[in-house]
Amino acid sequence: MDSSADSPLDSTASDRPVERRDRDDEGRARNARPRDGLGRPLPYGADGVPRQPEGVVRAPDATVAEAQRLLDEGKPFHAHEVFEDAWKSGPEEERELWRGMAQLAVGLTHSARGNATGGARLLRRGAGAVTAWAESGAGRQRPYGMDLGAVAGWARELAGDVEGGASVDAAARAPRLRG
């Protein structure tokens, strides 16, 4: 039996796949399964959407532009990864801003997947985070052209709609980050 190190699945005597952890070139655990536009894992070998590379350091304006592009395409899960990169690589005084933006993108993701409770919770948490950041001494109302008041209002309205039973098309309900 061939036990290729490149395959994420090994076959056992019963032909039942045994999963091993996917790893990157440096040995860190990384899920290599393809994903759909909302970030849901698909079976190995399925056609998925291109994934966002992790750990990309972008200028803040490039972060906002790339996240908006992904949101407009109905890919809020992927937009969350862009915001997460900014959260992890940006200056300390902006981490709460980017973390809040990532929460908003994940809230839209959960809402579009039909998870009303999780979606609404994350939308409200993200709205609270960006509002608190904007009102803090380090914050601004329109960092990098983003209208945080409008984004927070969008999130709270969507949270109410989701809790009211509305289905969500991620592209149709994507926020306008720069008003």
Side-chain angles (χ1 to χ4, degrees):
M1 179 182 331
D2 179 8
S3 62
S4 172
D6 293 331
S7 172
L9 300 176
D10 287 332
S11 193
T12 64
S14 68
D15 288 332
R16 181 173 169 218
V18 176
E19 292 194 40
R20 293 188 322 220
R21 292 189 89 172
D22 298 322
R23 303 225 175 248
D24 65 13
D25 292 339
E26 293 159 8
R28 292 184 302 242
R30 297 281 188 240
N31 189 328
R33 285 174 64 181
R35 293 184 178 266
D36 71 5
L38 291 174
R40 293 176 289 223
L42 299 170
Y44 285 102
D47 289 331
V49 301
R51 296 187 65 172
Q52 285 299 117
E54 293 183 42
V56 176
V57 178
R58 296 173 184 86
D61 284 324
T63 293
V64 175
E66 178 66 3
Q68 185 69 69
R69 181 187 69 78
L70 292 164
L71 290 165
D72 291 345
E73 291 177 2
K75 299 176 185 172
F77 176 82
H78 304 279
H80 125 270
E81 292 177 331
V82 171
F83 287 132
E84 191 172 90
D85 284 341
W87 164 19
K88 291 178 179 179
S89 67
E92 182 67 34
E93 63 272 8
E94 292 183 0
R95 290 215 171 128
E96 290 304 307
L97 165 66
W98 300 119
R99 184 173 68 97
M101 295 302 294
Q103 289 171 333
L104 292 171
V106 173
L108 178 56
T109 300
H110 282 285
S111 297
R113 289 178 178 176
N115 176 358
T117 301
R121 183 176 295 133
L122 281 162
L123 287 163
R124 286 194 177 98
R125 185 179 303 153
V130 299
T131 299
W133 185 85
E135 293 172 352
S136 74
R140 303 186 306 273
Q141 292 296 321
R142 295 187 63 91
Y144 311 110
M146 290 188 293
D147 185 343
L148 297 183
V151 170
W154 160 85
R156 290 183 179 106
E157 179 180 337
L158 181 58
D161 292 349
V162 168
E163 288 175 327
S167 62
V168 174
D169 175 310
R173 294 299 301 265
R176 298 300 319 149
L177 301 177
R178 290 185 166 147

